[in-house]
Amino acid sequence: QLPTNSVLEDYPRGMPAYLRHVGTAVPSHRYEQAAIQGVMEAWVGGERRTDRLLRRVYPHSGIEQRHTVLGDFLSRAGATNEPTTHTTHVQPQGPDEGFFLDETGAFRNPTTGERNARYRREAGPLYVAAARATLDGAAGLRPEDVTHVITVSCTGFYAPGPDLDVVHGLGLRPTTERYHVGFVGLGRRPMHEF
């Protein structure tokens, strides 16, 4: 039952929605949070205020591990490619190194264009892998049963976007309704606040 002040109050009652299964996919490189803190201290540290901020933010974020398509810090941060349980792992589509570190090992700051190009190359396979894991985990659900695809990202953008990648990647009907929600600032706010 929806609360009376819900933004969904006017939603047609005759159209039930079902979430049948949740599947996940992550890039194969996994870094421990403490290791990434060390990388960030080496990259942007050295100033008292910044160092204090890094020492407070990283250990108190509630994040234990981070997954990424970037292999720049594999040796420096002691990353692993060992699979985590209950999720699909996707191998990077581009080069593992040279994005944040140049050929000498010095830090570099990629442009917005470089970052978005990398996102465009890597995002589609991750979305499709997560959608496939969802479809495979929902007993009796077939691609032709899917009526809507909703994707969310705060990282990058491209159009047509990852929602269309999912439709094509899973062989969904071309009439599948697609929605991509982008620029949501890490996706932490309830949708009714937008």
Side-chain angles (χ1 to χ4, degrees):
Q1 174 130 18
L2 296 173
T4 56
N5 63 349
S6 170
V7 74
L8 298 176
E9 202 168 296
D10 296 327
Y11 192 79
R13 301 278 184 215
M15 296 179 60
Y18 298 98
L19 182 62
R20 299 274 303 270
H21 185 76
V22 175
T24 60
V26 295
S28 61
H29 300 316
R30 183 178 72 206
Y31 295 98
E32 297 299 320
Q33 178 76 342
I36 291 300
Q37 177 182 343
V39 168
M40 292 305 295
E41 287 170 349
W43 191 1
V44 298
E47 195 268 325
R48 187 176 64 87
R49 186 174 181 193
T50 302
D51 291 345
R52 190 174 63 218
L53 179 66
L54 291 171
R55 284 191 303 270
R56 287 194 46 86
V57 169
Y58 277 82
H60 297 95
S61 68
I63 297 170
E64 294 176 9
Q65 302 171 342
R66 294 178 180 268
H67 292 264
T68 180
V69 299
L70 303 173
D72 284 324
F73 308 120
L74 288 174
S75 60
R76 189 179 292 220
T80 179
N81 285 333
E82 295 176 18
T84 51
T85 57
H86 309 297
T87 194
T88 302
H89 289 91
V90 178
Q91 291 298 319
Q93 305 298 304
D96 258 4
E97 298 178 355
F99 196 75
F100 284 110
L101 298 176
D102 68 16
E103 58 279 348
T104 68
F107 288 103
R108 64 181 291 271
N109 193 9
T111 66
T112 301
E114 289 175 298
R115 292 169 190 251
N116 200 62
R118 186 65 186 256
Y119 171 80
R120 185 177 183 139
R121 184 171 56 243
E122 304 288 351
L126 281 165
Y127 278 99
V128 172
R132 186 167 312 287
T134 301
L135 195 59
D136 291 348
L141 188 66
R142 302 165 308 182
E144 57 269 21
D145 298 328
V146 176
T147 59
H148 293 72
V149 170
I150 302 169
T151 55
V152 179
S153 177
C154 65
T155 304
F157 59 92
Y158 61 100
D163 49 330
L164 187 60
D165 291 339
V166 169
V167 169
H168 289 164
L170 296 183
L172 304 180
R173 291 175 292 132
T175 56
T176 302
E177 290 193 39
R178 304 177 289 114
Y179 303 93
H180 180 72
V181 181
F183 306 106
V184 292
L186 301 179
R188 303 286 290 184
R189 298 183 71 178
M191 287 301 292
H192 69 273
E193 291 186 22
F194 288 100

